[in-house]
Amino acid sequence: MDPEIASFLRTFSENVDGIKAHPDKALLNTLTVVAGEFLQNSGPIAATSIASMLEQKFAAAPPTYKIPLLYLIDSILCNVRKDFVPAFEARIVRIYFAGLRGGLNEKDGKRLVRLLKAWKDRRMFNPAVIAQMEAKT
């Protein structure tokens, strides 16, 4: 991996760790802007690298941290879009299923389903991808 991209991802990852169980809107917004700037400066590899890193963080996160990480993913998808949509579309089913199996409490489970509905309403992902997630909900 390019050393500049690796360095960015380490710093970005450390900042993502600051989200914790209660997402700070300002931090989510800042991380979204930084992701967009990284994409602009580094090209499509930036979207793929960030999506991969966030998928790994999501899989390893305790249940109380999963929804805030999904809120970050949603913020990036809604505000930057471009290369992030295909980068996350390739991973979103695994991320969603990890959320369903990840021991979410009832309130967070409902939040997960609301995010899926929002992605469907916004036509964020291919209908077949949405259908795969809906089938398990």
Side-chain angles (χ1 to χ4, degrees), residues 22-40:
H22 301 287
D24 173 7
K25 180 97 170 118
L27 179 57
L28 293 178
N29 290 342
T30 298
L31 289 168
T32 299
V33 169
V34 169
E37 289 172 354
F38 182 53
L39 176 66
Q40 188 174 17

Side-chain angles (χ1 to χ4, degrees), residues 17-116:
D17 289 342
I19 292 175
K20 307 283 184 211
H22 301 287
D24 173 7
K25 180 97 170 118
L27 179 57
L28 293 178
N29 290 342
T30 298
L31 289 168
T32 299
V33 169
V34 169
E37 289 172 354
F38 182 53
L39 176 66
Q40 188 174 17
N41 294 330
S42 300
I45 189 71
T48 304
S49 299
I50 288 173
S52 177
M53 183 267 300
L54 288 174
E55 179 183 15
Q56 291 170 16
K57 284 204 171 290
F58 189 85
T64 56
Y65 290 21
K66 290 188 183 296
I67 292 299
L69 285 171
L70 277 173
Y71 288 163
L72 174 59
I73 291 169
D74 183 59
S75 179
I76 291 169
L77 287 168
C78 290
N79 295 296
V80 182
R81 292 190 75 101
K82 202 175 177 188
D83 294 306
F84 281 105
V85 172
F88 278 108
E89 187 169 67
R91 296 167 169 79
I92 201 64
V93 172
R94 289 189 305 266
I95 292 170
Y96 188 81
F97 289 165
L100 288 175
R101 293 186 313 267
L104 295 178
N105 61 39
E106 185 178 341
K107 186 176 179 182
D108 284 344
K110 288 179 181 178
R111 289 177 175 150
L112 181 66
V113 172
R114 275 198 306 268
L115 268 176
L116 175 57

